[in-house]
Structures are given as C-alpha cells and as structure tokens.
Amino acid sequence: MTNKNIKLSEISDIFKKLDVEELEGVTIEGDIELDISGGGGLNPALAYALGHEAAQVSLHVANIARMLGYPVDQLFATSMGAVPAAETTRPNVLDELIPSKFEVSKVAEWNNSIEEVTLGATSADGGSRKNTITLGGENALPYHFDGEMPHRNYVTMDVFDMPIGMAKSVKENYEDVINDPADWAKKVVNDFNADMVTIHLISTDPLINDTPAREAAKVVEDVLQAVDVPIVIGGSGNPQKDPEVLEKAAEVAEGERVLLASASLNLDYERVAKAATDYGHAVLSWTQLEINAQKELNRKLMKQCGVPRDSIVMDPTTAALGYGLDYAYTNMERIRLAGLMGDDELTFPMSSGTTNAWGARESWMKESPMNEDSNWGPREYRGPIWEIITGLTLSLAGNDLFMMMHPTSVEVLKEITQTLFGSVETEPLDITNWIGTEV
Amino acid sequence: MKLNSPLEAYKYLPGTNCGECGETTCMAFASHLIDRSYKLTDCKPMVKDNKYSKKFDVLKQLLAPEIHEVEIGVGERAVKIGGDDVLFRHKLTFFNKTALAYDVWDTMDEKDLVERIKKIDDFKKFYVGEFLTLDMIAVRSTSNDPEKFAATVKKVIDTTDMPMVLCSFNPAVLRAGLDEAADKKPLIYAANQDNWQEVAELVQEYDVAVTVFAPNDLDLLKSLAGTFSGMGIKDIVLDPGTFPTGKELKTTFNNFLKIRRAGINGDHDIAFPIMTVPMTAWMVYDDDVSASYWETVIASIFSVRYGDIMILHSIEPYALLPQLHIRDTIYTDPRTPVTVDPGVMEVGSPDANSPVIVTTNFALTYYTVESDLASSKVDCYILVVDTEGIGVEAAVAGGQLTAEKIKRDFEAAEFDLKTRTNYNTVILPGLAARLQGDVEDVLGANVLIGSADSGRLPGWLETNWPPTKK
C-alpha cells in the first residue's frame, strides 16, 4: 500500500479540466492525508463530489466493520460528534460508569414481634406427638431482610370424617382411604409429607348426618392414634352444633395441644374458648375478611374468655385466586403490618384455608363455561397450581399455617415457602446469558 | 408523589372553583389529584392560561409518581409500567399492572414462530365484565446473528401489534432489531457491564426505553441506571437478575424489596420499573410441567412484590390463567367497592315463566353469575341479596345469607313471586343448599337447589326448568 501526501490544491489541479460527473467511479486507494489547510480555490461542486466519494468509501468500510461486530457508530459518535445525523438525536456516551453505592434502610416501625404459638405436645409435656410445631415469632414481613423469620411455614392437610365431594384431581388421591379418617390421616403424613393433619368433623352437621358429638370425638381419637404429628380439629361449620362437637373433641384430645377450629363471632365462642383453655389447646379465631371483626374476636377471646396470648391463631378467611384473593391478601397484610407496628390485638400467627382454592371453577371445571374464552387446557394441571398460587400469595402477606388438599400443591408450596425462608440449598446458576437459553 | 394532602395541592390550583373539571370546587379536584383519579391536565385553566404555567410546572413535579413511568410500544396496545407511589396496595393502589411478555426466539422456524405469536396474541379469559389478555412479545436472539434477529423481529411486527422487548446482549443484534422496529418503540434488553456504552448509543439514536441488567449486584445496577440517567436517558427499566431457585431466589426476592423501597423512599437513581425473568426456571427444570409450574410460582411472587414487567416462556393455559389472575388480584384497585346494590336484576328479557335465581351482593359473585347466564342467553331474574359483600359459601356459614334476608330483599325490591311469576319458585345456589327448608317456610315458595357453580347453571336449567309443579 502506498502512502501519499496530497494537497487539496493538487487534487483540484488534477481534476481541474474534468467535468464533475466524470468523478463517478474514481476510487481512492491507500492511506490518504488531505491537507485542507493549504486551502485555496477548490471548486465547490468538485469538493462536494470528492466529499461524497470519500463518505461512500468510509460508509462501505464502516459497514464491513459493523458486520464484524465492531461498534462503529460509537466511534462515529465520539469522533464526529459535531456532525449529528439529521433524523436522530445526538448520542452522548460517557467514557466510564458513574460509580454508585446502593443503600436502603430497614423498616423502623416494625418493633413488635408476632406471638409464638406451639401446637402438639410430646411425651415430655404429657402428650403423644413425636414433635411440636411452633408458628409465628416474626418481627418483619415474611422473608424480608428486615428480620430473621424464626419458624418456617407449615402445612396441615385436610381429612374428613365422611366421604365428601371433591374435585376429580383431588379425589383420585384419596379414593382408597375416603371411608377411613385414620387411614386418610396416615396417608397425608406418610405419603404426602403433611406437617399436621386437620380432621374435619363435618358429619356432625344436623343437615348432613347429625353425628353425635361423642361419636365424632371417637374419630379424633382414631386420628390421634394413627399419626403422631400435631393436629387441628374442625367442626362442621354449623354454629349451633360446633361448640358441643369441639368441647367433646377437646376433651378426648386433652394433653395433645391441638388447634380447635374455630371460634367465631357468629357462634358461642365462649364455649369453644373454654374447651381450649380447659384442656390445654389453642384456638383458631376465625373472622370474615374484616380486620376490625378480627380485633374484636381476639379481644373477646383474651379479655372475656381468658385465652392466653400464646394460644390464639387467626384465620382471617381465604378467598381463592380470582374469587376475592385480593381482599384476603390485603386483609392479611394489613393485619400483619398492624401487629408488627404494635397493635397487640393482632399479633398472632395466621392460618389459611387454602383448600378454598378448589372452589374456583378454574381449578376443577373441565372447560370454560364461557364460549368466548381461550381453551383452558387440562384441568389436572390447573387445580394444583390454583391452590399453590392462592397459598403462596397469602404466605407473602404473612400467613403461617396452610390447610391444604392436593399432594402436588403441598409439595410445591412447601418448596417455594422454604426457598424464600432460606432453607433450600441449590447449585449456583449462571444467568448472565439467560437470553441464549435453548428451550 | 411529594404531596400528602389535598390542601398541599390546592394551594397551586387556581382556586376559582370554575367547575370545568367536573368537580364543584378546586379542593375536591385537589383530593382527586392526591388519590390519582384525576390528572393535572384535567384542570383546563391551568393548561390554557399562561399565568398558571409556573404553578403548573411545580405542581406537576410534586405530583409525579415516585417510580418513573415507562411506556413501551405504540398505539392501543402500548403498555405503561411503573408509576407507583406506595409499597402496599391498601395504602392507595398499585398503578400500571405488571406487563406480561412471552418469548419467541430467532432460531424458530417461521411457521412455529407465527403460530406461537398468534397463540400469545389471541389468549383471553373472561373475568368480571372484561377479558384478561397477555401484553407483549419478547424476541430473544438465540442465534446471535443480526440478520436472523432482524428477520424474526420483522415477522413479529407483521403478525401482531403487541409491543416488544428486543433481547440480546450483542449491540449489533440489537441494532439490527431496532432497524426493523424502532418506530414500534420496543423495550431494549439489555445493557450490562460490558456493552453499556454501545447500548446507550443505540437507545439515544433510536429513542427507545432500555433495561439495565446487573445480576445480584445492586451497586452496579444503580451505577448503570445513574449513568444512563446522566446521559439524559429517562426511560430505564431495572433487572437485578431473577435467580430461580434456592438461596439465590431468596436474595433475588430481597433485591426486589430493596430496590422498590429505596425508590419509593426517594432514591431517584433507582426509582424505575423492575423487570423479572421467571423464564430462568427453564434453566433448571427439564420437564415442561415442572418448569411451567415453577415459572408461574416465580411470576406470582414478583407480581405481588414489585415486578413491573416480566418475561415468561410457558404458554400452557394452566400457567397463563394463574399468571393473569394473580396480576389482576394485586393490581385491582382496593378502593373500588366490594359490593353491588341489592335488588332484583333482569338478565335478557325475563317474563312470568322465567326462573328467579338467588345470589349475593359480593361484586365478584354477582358479575360471575350474571355473565354466565348472559353468555348462555338465559332470560331470568337474579335476586341480589345484601350479604355485606360476602360470597355465597362464607355468607351461609357466617349468617349473612339467610331465609329472612332473602325475604327482606325481595320485599325491598317489591318483587312478589306469586304475582310476578307463574311458578312461585326460587333457585338457591348449590352452596346454600342447607337453607332450602328455611327459605321454603319463610317465603312460602318452592325452592330448587341449583348448581354449586353458576357456570353450570345454564345446563342445569335445561333439565330442571320449568319446574314440574306450579
């Protein structure tokens, strides 16, 4: 390659006699230094033509560079910053990153701890459970860096004292045990990794079987025999019958420190509370999506019924994803925030009837009843995830204990809540080039 | 926003109570500015009259949301993200629901590509009077070839008007995509520690929004955002990395909390919308169902906690339905009433031979029942009972739905079953079956027990209506 110095006047001379048009097709080879300062008398048309040719050459070269992946435009932007392209903004690129330090403070207002409530009693405490489970104790919203969460979330799985209607994908897990609550309880503990068992005495409802309370209590004994995890005892939801049913159940479970479900404002909560305190159990304080009602009931349980603070768990009501979960979520979050900020009528662990997710048609219906909807796909995959997302959302609001039904839901919910809790170890994953993932 | 009370906004307003905004007083308008149900530009005098321009500018600054709002795309399908003022939805509401972007990639063959885009574009789920739909297409460069990427971007543009995220760490690839798509105002993904200068230049040249990516390095993330701001780039999205499992996911979760808390608390350098990529679940799980489930789990966590835009992979309905619903759950305005007015509503054109169906005044229950019946073109009456906004099952358990309350609300609506209908019959929800005897006694009417879910009511009516006895 040759390297010549050419003065502009010389170029002008060279082409002096030619028509400008004849410049087409001229190629410039080698490194060329143009000495413009020498100046003088360049024909403007010729200068334009020359400039055009030079620009074409540089554009061609730049395109080659760009195809090779070189950031040509950055070069142009920095070296030719004074010549902005007509239709684009003028790039303005710094040479170095502006250094920065990220800082954020912890929440100062979270000064209060949530009560710890222990369920189940081992032989050391006069019970026959293999282990106890402690709920609560948080001093921050769940999984937040503001405070250590002392206990993980727990799952209690539903067992019923008679066959009930269930979504198909739930039912197929229990067909072999549906007539035997003790076997059912064993199955959820041994096969499905339930932390606890809830025995629902629904047959006691006068509108169902009206099973006498004393007979129902036998089922509780059977379940306590069958499994050695802490248990929850639920009535039928009949406000007239439940106090009596729960009294008898509390009596036969004396010493086991069960959770009695539930005391509520629309039944004789004093009797339920007394059954709990008389036999050393904890009581579930159930209200319906209303923070002030929750305060009122907790207050009554403590002041009027003498239930100790370490024996109250709240169920502020769970509505399914798509069916009022927004209210359930925000109600729980407000309750937990109020507790953390010092409202001692709300500083109790919370429980969710996550099973309610199966009431959502998306979880069980074969296909959408709305003609306009896109295909809903196979329902056996829709149901479990409906229960998972319902529970997971409430876990983020501060819920501690989950009452659940489907084994897959339980498995995934435990995996994600324990991941956020911090007890799941995995291999580190390099995500720096996730874009290129082949899936 | 920097204002806490209507009074603080009021002092910048004209104070003339002209009423042009639709409110009778400027103070009323001020309270709507604070709850963000009106925009400052709704005050016409402030916009038109030059003497207010200084106050307008000051007030506009004071009213600006703490988290910068970024718009992506053009036209009707454009999405806005960010714009929040609070950490908890009950403190006000969250604005601009999380934008859901589903991926395509530039090594797909054309037929698959078009089919996938159409599936994403067409997906819809009816819910409370409207359709829930997906928002965006994220185009990933898996080839790292500018030409292939450009061709794929072009195909996306030809197939849908959904806004796009253009994903590559190679500036040459991004440029090729922008050459096709710049006028569609896509979001660029992403600038990182290595390519930030080239990407910054592209962003300025093409005037598009940009994502800055610094996996689990909040100092670097803030530095990138601050540097881009320093170059005059306003529309920035932050990606602190979405690690899909284990303690790294816990850290990711806390990164989101920290960024949003700092932003709401006034750290301008980091007060931008946050991007999450639940798709990283596919880097861990092999089978489609597990990966779709875990991706949906991550998407839900970050719908609740501060994800403003996300890139997802699974388009299985069992993933899309919960993703759409949890996003809707969190972004529903908690200030809207839970209830509808009690009374007797008409669906279609009911007459004396039409069924009378009982439900609650919980808005969600009512709208579900109403749309199920209307969708199947059933002519009927619906008695909406005042259950204090509680759904059927809970209201039966809690005593808000009883025979007496059903009677009370029929009477309040002056609807006499015996004179208005030929069958003197009401249909109770399946979940209120236990009220049957009571309702028969109290109303002196026949009671049928309908399906437990109103989606099955039209089918139920086909076999059970009209009733056999009059």
Side-chain angles (χ1 to χ4, degrees), chain A residues 54-207:
Chain A
Q56 287 294 324
V57 170
S58 68
L59 196 62
H60 181 63
V61 176
N63 280 335
I64 292 171
R66 193 175 286 139
M67 278 187 274
L68 296 170
Y70 185 82
V72 173
D73 304 277
Q74 188 194 350
L75 182 76
F76 277 49
T78 44
S79 64
M80 300 174 64
V83 197
E87 286 169 22
T88 56
T89 43
R90 172 183 163 182
N92 155 27
V93 177
L94 295 175
D95 292 334
E96 281 177 28
L97 282 174
I98 303 167
S100 204
K101 184 87 193 138
F102 180 85
E103 278 167 359
V104 71
S105 50
K106 294 185 176 181
V107 174
E109 297 86 14
W110 297 346
N111 296 313
N112 225 40
S113 292
I114 304 306
E115 294 288 339
E116 288 188 326
V117 175
T118 298
L119 301 175
T122 61
S123 58
D125 294 309
S128 63
R129 304 299 89 194
K130 190 187 71 194
N131 63 291
T132 64
I133 278 173
T134 300
L135 305 172
E138 300 94 336
N139 48 34
L141 278 184
Y143 326 124
H144 278 50
F145 63 100
D146 301 86
E148 281 299 308
M149 193 168 158
H151 309 290
R152 68 169 171 90
N153 305 91
Y154 291 93
V155 173
T156 178
M157 289 183 77
D158 295 325
V159 170
F160 295 85
D161 68 344
M162 61 177 282
I164 58 151
M166 283 182 265
K168 186 166 167 280
S169 66
V170 177
K171 196 174 188 173
E172 58 195 21
N173 295 286
Y174 300 113
E175 258 150 357
D176 53 334
V177 293
I178 204 155
N179 291 303
D180 188 335
D183 283 350
W184 193 338
K186 276 188 202 162
K187 185 165 191 181
V188 297
V189 172
N190 299 334
D191 297 357
F192 302 150
N193 201 20
D195 299 308
M196 295 177 63
V197 169
T198 303
I199 173 67
H200 296 276
L201 303 171
I202 55 163
S203 74
T204 60
D205 190 327
L207 296 172

Side-chain angles (χ1 to χ4, degrees), chain A residues 250-286:
Chain A
E251 188 183 337
V252 301
E254 182 169 15
E256 300 288 2
R257 195 160 171 77
V258 306
L259 179 62
L260 284 185
S262 329
S264 70
L265 287 167
N266 72 351
L267 53 61
D268 191 347
Y269 55 83
E270 261 188 287
R271 277 178 77 183
V272 178
K274 188 168 185 304
T277 49
D278 281 358
Y279 301 106
H281 304 304
V283 64
L284 189 62
S285 169
W286 172 57

Side-chain angles (χ1 to χ4, degrees), chain B residues 124 159 178 285 321-322 344 368 379 381 413 444:
Chain B
K124 61 179 181 171
T159 313
L178 281 168
Y285 287 95
L321 291 170
V344 175
T368 306
D379 295 313
Y381 297 99

Side-chain angles (χ1 to χ4, degrees), chain B residues 312-445:
Chain B
L312 301 125
H313 177 69
S314 178
I315 55 167
E316 292 293 333
Y318 62 82
L320 300 180
L321 291 170
Q323 288 163 13
L324 282 169
H325 274 290
I326 188 60
R327 183 263 296 262
D328 191 79
T329 295
I330 296 303
Y331 283 83
T332 294
D333 190 337
R335 300 170 296 181
T336 49
V338 183
T339 58
V340 294
D341 291 337
V344 175
M345 307 295 160
E346 296 184 357
V347 178
S349 315
D351 59 26
N353 290 318
S354 302
V356 181
I357 293 159
V358 174
T359 192
T360 77
N361 77 327
F362 179 34
L364 198 60
T365 310
Y366 172 72
Y367 286 122
T368 306
V369 173
E370 195 266 345
S371 58
D372 285 338
L373 294 165
S375 164
S376 297
K377 311 227 181 312
V378 174
D379 295 313
C380 64
Y381 297 99
I382 301 180
L383 173 70
V384 183
V385 181
D386 181 359
T387 58
E388 299 160 40
I390 293 173
V392 174
E393 193 170 21
V396 170
Q400 292 88 359
L401 181 59
T402 62
E404 282 73 21
K405 286 177 180 168
I406 291 170
K407 180 166 190 256
R408 175 200 66 194
D409 289 342
F410 268 129
E411 284 174 0
E414 296 177 356
F415 190 95
D416 185 344
L417 281 168
K418 294 176 188 69
T419 58
R420 294 285 293 276
T421 71
N422 292 335
Y423 296 102
N424 189 29
T425 295
V426 296
I427 298 168
L428 285 184
L431 295 172
R434 65 163 64 167
L435 301 179
Q436 183 171 22
D438 267 1
V439 176
E440 280 170 352
D441 295 349
V442 170
L443 291 186

Side-chain angles (χ1 to χ4, degrees), chain B residues 63-82:
Chain B
L63 289 168
E66 292 298 330
I67 305 302
H68 183 68
E69 195 173 69
V70 173
E71 185 162 338
I72 305 161
V74 293
E76 278 182 18
R77 301 291 287 273
V79 297
K80 279 185 190 163
I81 57 173

Side-chain angles (χ1 to χ4, degrees), chain B residues 44-273:
Chain B
K44 297 304 170 206
M46 288 281 277
V47 177
K48 280 187 277 185
D49 195 332
N50 276 339
K51 73 179 172 193
Y52 298 122
S53 67
K54 202 167 174 189
K55 283 183 167 177
F56 180 93
D57 291 341
V58 175
L59 188 52
K60 192 177 163 203
Q61 282 296 317
L62 292 170
L63 289 168
E66 292 298 330
I67 305 302
H68 183 68
E69 195 173 69
V70 173
E71 185 162 338
I72 305 161
V74 293
E76 278 182 18
R77 301 291 287 273
V79 297
K80 279 185 190 163
I81 57 173
D84 280 317
D85 266 319
V86 293
L87 287 169
F88 303 105
R89 60 189 288 276
H90 66 270
K91 299 273 191 189
L92 183 65
T93 183
F94 288 155
F95 293 90
N96 299 331
K97 56 190 178 183
T98 309
L100 306 177
Y102 294 80
D103 80 324
V104 297
W105 51 102
D106 64 1
T107 45
M108 294 179 89
D109 77 50
E110 192 177 309
K111 185 170 153 286
D112 293 347
L113 175 67
V114 170
E115 193 180 314
R116 185 171 167 88
I117 295 166
K118 284 193 170 148
K119 269 189 188 166
I120 297 166
D121 200 359
D122 292 345
F123 193 84
K124 61 179 181 171
K125 163 73 167 29
F126 191 79
Y127 184 63
V128 199
E130 59 178 32
F131 283 102
L132 305 179
T133 55
L134 313 178
D135 304 302
M136 304 178 70
I137 300 284
V139 190
R140 294 190 294 129
S141 174
T142 43
S143 70
N144 204 32
D145 175 343
E147 271 180 41
K148 278 196 171 150
F149 190 67
T152 306
V153 169
K154 183 165 190 309
K155 198 76 214 171
V156 175
I157 294 170
D158 290 346
T159 313
T160 179
D161 51 4
M162 296 175 97
M164 289 176 288
V165 191
L166 304 187
C167 306
S168 174
F169 295 116
N170 180 346
V173 169
L174 289 175
R175 174 175 292 279
L178 281 168
D179 280 339
E180 295 293 341
D183 62 334
K184 306 291 179 197
K185 296 294 169 200
L187 171 67
I188 293 304
Y189 186 101
N192 61 20
Q193 192 167 17
D194 303 320
N195 69 9
W196 65 271
Q197 284 170 309
E198 294 102 302
V199 174
E201 195 183 306
L202 284 176
V203 167
Q204 294 180 78
E205 189 179 331
Y206 290 96
D207 189 24
V208 286
V210 65
T211 314
V212 294
F213 178 51
N216 197 23
D217 186 343
L218 296 186
D219 289 342
L220 176 61
L221 190 71
K222 186 174 169 181
S223 171
L224 283 165
T227 304
F228 274 59
S229 297
M231 293 185 280
I233 295 166
K234 289 195 179 71
D235 292 335
I236 298 168
V237 177
L238 310 169
D239 182 0
T242 303
F243 292 85
T245 53
K247 290 195 167 140
E248 291 178 321
L249 176 55
K250 184 183 171 72
T251 304
T252 297
F253 178 73
N254 276 285
N255 285 341
F256 276 65
L257 301 178
K258 287 173 181 175
I259 292 168
R260 183 49 43 92
R261 189 185 295 174
I264 294 287
N265 290 347
D267 184 345
H268 293 298
D269 279 355
I270 201 105
F272 294 103

